[in-house]
Amino acid sequence: MTKQELVAKMQESNAWVDGKKVKMDFGDKGVVMLNGVDKQVSEDDGDADTTIKVAWDDWQAMADGQLDGMTAFMTGKLKVEGDMSNAMQLQGVLAKLKG
């Protein structure tokens, strides 16, 4: 899946935390902003309540079920800056993407 496909699928699935901005930072692959305030998903960078930093390859492994999110966090492959509760809520939201 490309980042553009991910953005489209997240928008379609309403993959955001209501009233919050969560940024997924894929490093050199750029960012995906899950804007629960404006209810949209984009590749726009900006301020966020929570920033999740993860390499694109590790994200792909998580999306494919080959890497557990908690394992990625514990091993430092996934880092959370800001409000941790938004990241926890996002787990349930991202589960929709697998459906």
Side-chain angles (χ1 to χ4, degrees):
M1 176 182 303
T2 67
K3 194 164 69 126
Q4 289 76 20
E5 289 169 337
L6 176 66
V7 168
K9 192 166 184 183
M10 287 178 149
Q11 179 70 49
E12 203 174 280
S13 302
N14 298 338
W16 52 69
V17 178
D18 277 334
K20 302 289 181 183
K21 289 184 179 181
V22 179
K23 177 168 54 176
M24 300 185 68
D25 184 343
F26 297 114
D28 61 350
K29 293 278 189 192
V31 302
V32 172
M33 180 69 78
L34 310 176
N35 186 335
V37 177
D38 298 330
K39 303 204 180 318
Q40 65 184 20
V41 180
S42 71
E43 293 185 59
D44 297 338
D45 202 347
D47 291 335
D49 299 294
T50 304
T51 299
I52 298 170
K53 293 185 173 190
V54 61
W56 182 253
D57 291 343
D58 291 331
W59 167 260
Q60 292 284 63
M62 288 169 55
D64 294 341
Q66 297 167 350
L67 177 62
D68 177 65
M70 190 54 74
T71 302
F73 179 75
M74 294 303 211
T75 58
K77 290 183 175 186
L78 183 148
K79 295 181 174 74
V80 178
E81 295 175 357
D83 190 340
M84 181 66 126
S85 67
N86 292 331
M88 301 304 281
Q89 289 180 56
L90 200 57
Q91 262 188 316
V93 171
L94 295 180
K96 292 181 189 176
L97 296 178
K98 293 178 182 170

